[in-house]
Amino acid sequence: MSKADAPPSLPAKTPARDPGAEIRPLTSLRAFAALLVVLFHFGRPYSSTHDDALAAVFSSGYIGVTIFFVLSGFLITLRYMDALRMGQFSLRAYFVKRVARIYPLYFVMLLSVFAFVPTTVAWPHLLLAQGYFNDLVLTGVPTAWSLTVEEAFYALLPLILILHFRSRLPLIVTLLIWSSGLLAIGHALVLLQIPTYGFMANDAQMLSNTIGGQFPMFAVGMGCAFLYRWRTEWPSGLALISLIGLLGTMVMMAHTIEPLTSVLGYVCGAWTGGIVLGLTAPGGLSYILSHRLFVYLGRISYALYLVQLTPIGQALAFGANFAAQIITLEGLSALFYEFVEHPGQRLVLRLGLGVPPTQDSPHPPTPSP
């Protein structure tokens, strides 16, 4: 690639890479993120009776949200940035793939919840918009509010990258503009005080449950994608150092109060970016997380994320000890992946595009704090 052909904001030495290829350690990282969520939800008895580093990690396990958002920002940007820059992007194919990732398993889970608790399902659940409504945010499939944020990111990503490449602004400037702009829009919606289901009821909800407050996490992943596109060889030790930093920050979060807790949450996003870049290198943690067991656990992590707080997940894990709960939920997630999620993806992609699915992005589970 000549210097004249280099994309805006990227050095001319950008190497050629298959942007759709699966990075197996990053698939496995999803399993780690999902486990943090399970530890947060099911490990509360331990964290409430112990005062040690493990209990602190349990109580801050909602940081799995951050890991999934950063991963999504990284992998989706990496997959589509060159197609958008060169005008070879298919909007239809893009959204069919995004629907295939999220909706088949989600709707099955929502139907299972509706069978147990019919009154919890409203039209925002069908549109995956419950994150905008304070009265619904933890109803239906309780953890699925965060898919509201994912949907918003999916919708915005093509526009963000197209405008970025045309503007030729430094990437950091683009991301700061979007971060501040989305935050301002979110706050403006809060000021409208629309009463329907508690729509954008307050700034705390906006910051926690919508793209207005969560976009910086995706921005970290997007920035890492540009860095990776420029330099594909990152030191493998970066992953371990960043993981230690992430866990240490989670311990700090468990022993502090707002607003410092929220600030540390963004620090966790930065550490996650280091983990992501480090895991693209061979050796170290990447070697361990390339094992097929961890990769499979990563592939079923979306099912694990969705099922854990549903009536069926709670019923099967009820009364078991902590280790048995995790094993039970992982087994149930594997069944949902094999017999619902994966076949559902193939069906949507075949109907929408006539092609089988690809591993171009992580499933977007993001847990509720």
Side-chain angles (χ1 to χ4, degrees):
M1 179 182 290
S2 68
K3 185 172 183 179
D5 294 331
S9 300
L10 294 178
K13 63 178 180 179
T14 302
R17 269 296 179 107
D18 177 8
E22 181 184 20
I23 303 175
R24 291 168 63 88
L26 295 185
T27 300
S28 299
L29 182 60
R30 287 163 37 198
F32 170 75
L35 179 60
L36 283 179
V37 185
V38 175
L39 294 177
F40 173 70
H41 286 137
F42 289 85
R44 289 183 182 179
Y46 179 89
S47 60
S48 63
T49 57
H50 292 72
D51 185 21
D52 54 23
L54 184 60
V57 170
F58 281 16
S59 65
S60 302
Y62 57 86
I63 284 302
V65 171
T66 298
I67 296 174
F68 282 121
F69 282 165
V70 173
L71 268 173
S72 186
F74 176 79
L75 290 172
I76 301 295
T77 301
L78 185 66
R79 173 66 179 88
Y80 292 105
M81 60 192 300
D82 285 341
L84 285 162
R85 179 182 61 85
M86 295 183 292
Q88 300 173 352
F89 176 77
S90 168
L91 193 64
R92 176 172 174 265
Y94 173 77
F95 280 111
V96 168
K97 289 181 179 181
R98 306 283 64 79
V99 168
R101 286 297 188 191
I102 298 178
Y103 278 90
L105 181 60
Y106 170 71
F107 277 128
V108 170
M109 293 290 187
L110 187 64
L111 288 174
S112 72
V113 171
F114 183 72
F116 286 94
V117 194
T119 57
T120 63
V121 179
W123 63 264
H125 295 104
L126 300 177
L127 299 177
L128 269 175
Q130 59 264 48
Y132 297 116
F133 300 89
N134 198 48
D135 297 346
L136 301 176
V137 68
L138 296 179
T139 61
V141 180
T143 52
W145 67 264
S146 53
L147 300 184
T148 300
V149 185
E150 283 284 348
E151 278 191 321
F153 175 68
Y154 290 164
L156 290 173
L157 178 68
L159 179 62
I160 293 172
L161 290 181
I162 289 173
L163 293 178
H164 169 66
F165 289 134
R166 289 182 177 178
S167 71
R168 297 182 177 270
L169 290 172
L171 180 65
I172 185 65
V173 174
T174 295
L175 296 179
L176 286 174
I177 290 173
W178 278 94
S179 296
S180 57
L182 290 171
L183 183 63
I185 292 171
H187 180 64
L189 291 174
V190 170
L191 294 178
L192 291 177
Q193 291 293 293
I194 298 174
T196 305
Y197 294 126
F199 177 78
M200 301 293 279
N202 51 63
D203 282 321
Q205 179 217 343
M206 182 271 293
L207 290 171
S208 297
N209 305 128
T210 75
I211 194 71
Q214 295 294 344
F215 181 76
M217 305 306 183
F218 294 101
V220 170
M222 294 177 68
C224 289
F226 275 72
L227 289 172
Y228 177 74
R229 185 68 176 82
W230 166 54
R231 172 186 174 181
T232 57
E233 296 182 1
W234 291 84
S236 61
L238 178 62
L240 180 58
I241 294 172
S242 298
L243 177 59
I244 294 172
L246 174 67
L247 295 175
T249 304
M250 291 174 65
V251 172
M252 293 173 61
M253 292 174 67
H255 294 92
T256 189
I257 59 175
E258 292 289 354
L260 184 56
T261 301
S262 296
V263 173
L264 291 176
Y266 291 110
V267 174
C268 286
W271 286 122
T272 302
I275 294 172
V276 167
L277 286 175
L279 288 180
T280 62
L285 285 179
S286 294
Y287 176 78
I288 298 173
L289 293 183
S290 293
H291 190 280
R292 61 184 181 182
L293 173 61
F294 295 120
V295 173
Y296 184 76
L297 291 176
R299 288 174 181 165
I300 68 173
S301 62
Y302 182 42
L304 174 62
Y305 167 71
L306 287 185
V307 76
Q308 59 183 290
L309 295 185
T310 62
I312 186 172
Q314 295 278 28
L316 290 178
F318 179 76
N321 62 47
F322 189 48
Q325 285 176 329
I326 294 177
I327 294 172
T328 301
L329 290 171
E330 291 282 10
L332 182 61
S333 301
L335 292 176
F336 274 114
Y337 173 78
E338 296 292 347
F339 297 105
V340 178
E341 180 183 355
H342 190 56
Q345 287 179 352
R346 296 185 66 88
L347 177 62
V348 171
L349 289 171
R350 193 168 297 280
L351 292 175
L353 301 176
V355 297
T358 59
Q359 292 287 340
D360 63 353
S361 72
H363 298 293
T366 44
S368 166

